[in-house]
Amino acid sequence: MYEGIVQELIDELGRLPGIGPKSAQRIAFHILQTESFDVSRLASVLVEVREKVRFCEICGNVTQEVTCSICRDPRRDATSICVVEEAKDVVAIERTREFKGFYHVLGGAISPIDGIGPDNLRIRQLMTRLADNTVQEVIIATDPNLEGEATATYLTRLLSSLEIKVTRLASGLPVGGDLEYADEVTLGRAFEGRRTVS
Amino acid sequence: MPVYRDEGVVLRTQKLGEADRIVTLLTRSHGKIRAVAKGVRRTASKFGARLEPFMVADVQIYEGRSLDIISQAESLGSYGANIVDDYPRYTAASVMVETADKVTESEGSPQQYLLLVGALRSLSRNEHAPSLTLDSYLLRALSMAGWAPSIDFCAKCGTEGIHGSFVVQLGGMLCEKCAPVGAARIDAATVDLLDALLRGDWDRAEAHTAVTLSRGSGIISAYAQYHLERGLRSMEHVAR
């Protein structure tokens, strides 16, 4: 145990995800000992991020304004919406530069065992966005794990009543990997979603 | 480092650190175990897909200091894909694994393991209605854990016969003399349904009307929630 405020700093750092007691101690001493480390800047950014950042009223992405920069961009294609679980997924898809439409962040996936049902996600807001018939395609890009697939199944069933094309991201072999190391579930999916090349 | 091998069904997974997961498995001979699967959240993971909930896998595990570590996993039954294809099946399976997690809190048994695998297999093959499979599983899992409801005798005085009241808190059917004032009445058809589900007599269970099936589900879910003390979080999301 360290004295007073040093221990308090270690305890507070240790509450962050992925930081154990040893890492917390190392970061605390880095802050204490490194003169070039600008503490006031870190402190002001932390305060600012809590005060200014909120969720986009349209898509649920993180933003500093009422709506996010993607929803404000008039050059984007209004006929397609990509549904993702978290704001982090928006960034991942944006990095591909493949998708030019809008996003909708659900805020998680359906997981009854964790007490998360469809009502706890931003599904109602999605349905409202689809009501004006502008959107022609909904791309479901939830995680390819069990909860993500279940959410996709639920959304597909819900959207089948509307006259909108519903697509799901393909899953299969990772680029640069070896076929022999692929597990049977992934390989099976890759077979299922194979495409014609000639 | 001691290594052991067993087959198990994945009950739930929790994220750990950057790319790892803690996997809770109900195994055939080692009871319930919590083990770390390293790097399974990365897209290039060799066994990530084999350690999703509802999957049955042959796992090789070595004992760690606090948590064990899964070093290999081979799939024995991948029921997950068929189960998530249908929302009612997914919610039913979620309640099943949560129940299995709770009833094996202190120790698991091969019977509990086989019952869960059987129920998940049946769900994935769509052999019976998801809610009926769930009801039968709940009754049988609770019975194995020592909370069998009394069906053909009074839970209090032991008088044999089919009685008219079912009290969840007292453990099943009660005779006229033992039933507290205002105890919920139960009709003969529902009693027959409960008995059929407990014995796994599907023909008899499926012959009942929708009203009886829904009454049975209500009683069974109340019975399970009461006896598992902290209740089942997934129960309220079941799509029947």
Side-chain angles (χ1 to χ4, degrees):
Chain A
M1 285 288 276
Y2 294 92
E3 275 178 35
I5 195 146
V6 179
Q7 187 60 43
E8 260 176 55
L9 176 63
I10 295 173
D11 291 345
E12 286 303 314
L13 289 169
R15 283 167 54 187
L16 297 172
I19 298 183
K22 284 281 178 212
S23 309
Q25 187 176 308
R26 199 163 55 241
I27 298 168
F29 275 90
H30 176 79
I31 294 172
L32 285 176
Q33 289 170 341
T34 317
E35 281 177 17
S36 60
F37 191 83
D38 192 351
V39 182
S40 52
R41 183 167 155 67
L42 174 67
S44 66
V45 168
L46 284 177
V47 173
E48 219 173 315
V49 90
R50 283 301 290 263
E51 279 173 0
K52 289 190 180 164
V53 174
R54 50 180 153 173
F55 296 101
C56 169
E57 278 187 359
I58 302 173
C59 71
N61 195 3
V62 285
T63 175
Q64 289 188 44
E65 316 284 332
V66 180
T67 55
C68 70
S69 59
I70 297 174
C71 289
R72 286 198 309 268
D73 190 345
R75 288 166 302 174
R76 295 195 79 107
D77 175 15
T79 60
S80 60
I81 284 187
C82 179
V83 180
V84 294
E85 287 182 22
E86 307 280 350
K88 289 179 279 190
D89 303 329
V90 172
V91 180
I93 296 176
E94 279 298 282
R95 274 202 304 263
T96 66
R97 297 168 191 267
E98 289 282 333
F99 180 65
K100 298 282 175 248
F102 290 105
Y103 291 92
H104 189 85
V105 182
L106 290 176
I110 299 175
S111 175
I113 203 161
D114 297 311
I116 302 170
D119 297 342
N120 305 99
L121 303 176
R122 299 181 70 255
I123 292 177
R124 208 167 354 106
Q125 288 89 329
L126 174 67
M127 298 311 279
T128 317
R129 286 182 77 182
L130 301 178
D132 66 354
N133 294 331
T134 322
V135 179
Q136 305 293 311
E137 183 181 4
V138 172
I139 303 159
I140 304 175
T142 50
D143 289 347
N145 56 24
L146 197 96
E147 289 85 7
E149 291 296 342
T151 312
T153 310
Y154 181 85
L155 285 176
T156 312
R157 197 176 68 164
L158 201 64
L159 300 175
S160 63
S161 57
L162 308 172
E163 278 185 14
I164 296 176
K165 183 176 164 193
V166 181
T167 53
R168 173 91 175 105
L169 283 196
S171 51
L173 302 165
V175 177
D178 281 11
L179 194 77
E180 60 169 322
Y181 289 118
D183 65 275
E184 51 283 354
V185 184
T186 311
L187 199 51
R189 287 273 201 89
F191 255 101
E192 223 174 84
R194 69 185 183 277
R195 61 197 160 90
T196 316
V197 284
S198 71
Chain B
M1 213 174 290
V3 177
Y4 61 95
R5 197 175 152 186
D6 203 345
E7 52 188 78
V9 47
V10 180
L11 301 181
R12 61 184 307 174
T13 59
Q14 287 158 281
K15 288 180 183 176
L16 176 74
E18 190 82 2
D20 308 341
R21 272 208 181 105
I22 298 178
V23 181
T24 309
L25 289 152
L26 178 63
T27 60
R28 186 190 273 265
S29 33
H30 289 81
K32 192 172 76 178
I33 48 174
R34 274 158 57 84
V36 178
K38 288 194 182 282
V40 285
R41 280 155 61 203
R42 291 190 210 282
T43 46
S45 166
K46 278 183 289 180
F47 53 73
R50 297 177 188 140
L51 294 171
E52 290 270 302
F54 318 143
M55 292 292 208
V56 184
D58 182 351
V59 284
Q60 178 156 310
I61 297 171
Y62 59 90
E63 287 175 19
R65 265 177 301 181
S66 54
L67 282 169
D68 294 353
I69 295 167
I70 300 176
S71 59
Q72 282 175 40
E74 284 294 328
S75 175
L76 293 177
S78 57
Y79 306 130
N82 284 336
I83 289 173
V84 293
D85 265 355
D86 182 61
Y87 191 65
R89 284 209 289 265
Y90 171 61
T91 52
S94 298
V95 178
M96 283 180 191
V97 292
E98 192 182 353
T99 309
D101 195 7
K102 295 245 162 87
V103 294
T104 56
E105 204 68 76
S106 49
E107 59 181 84
S109 65
Q111 287 80 13
Q112 285 284 9
Y113 166 78
L114 293 171
L115 179 70
L116 181 61
V117 173
L120 291 174
R121 188 189 302 128
S122 168
L123 259 190
S124 77
R125 290 181 185 166
N126 211 9
E127 289 172 356
H128 310 286
S131 68
L132 206 59
T133 313
L134 169 64
D135 290 342
S136 177
Y137 171 78
L138 285 174
L139 274 184
R140 290 202 256 174
L142 287 167
S143 302
M144 271 179 201
W147 291 297
S150 61
I151 302 284
D152 49 7
F153 59 93
C154 172
K156 211 166 174 187
C157 67
T159 312
E160 286 191 15
I162 303 296
H163 303 295
S165 302
F166 191 97
V167 180
V168 165
Q169 292 82 346
L170 295 173
M173 303 290 295
L174 289 174
C175 67
E176 296 299 325
K177 272 188 267 170
C178 300
V181 182
R185 305 288 299 171
I186 183 169
D187 60 316
T190 314
V191 179
D192 184 64
L193 170 68
L194 294 183
D195 186 57
L197 288 173
L198 198 54
R199 291 172 202 275
D201 186 344
W202 291 103
D203 292 338
R204 190 147 63 94
E206 282 170 339
H208 285 283
T209 60
V211 178
T212 310
L213 293 177
S214 141
R215 267 188 212 144
S217 295
I219 291 175
I220 294 165
S221 89
Y223 190 81
Q225 297 270 35
Y226 180 79
H227 290 283
L228 292 173
E229 289 172 11
R230 278 167 296 161
L232 296 162
R233 281 208 282 184
S234 46
M235 192 66 100
E236 64 171 294
H237 300 291
V238 171
R240 291 190 191 268

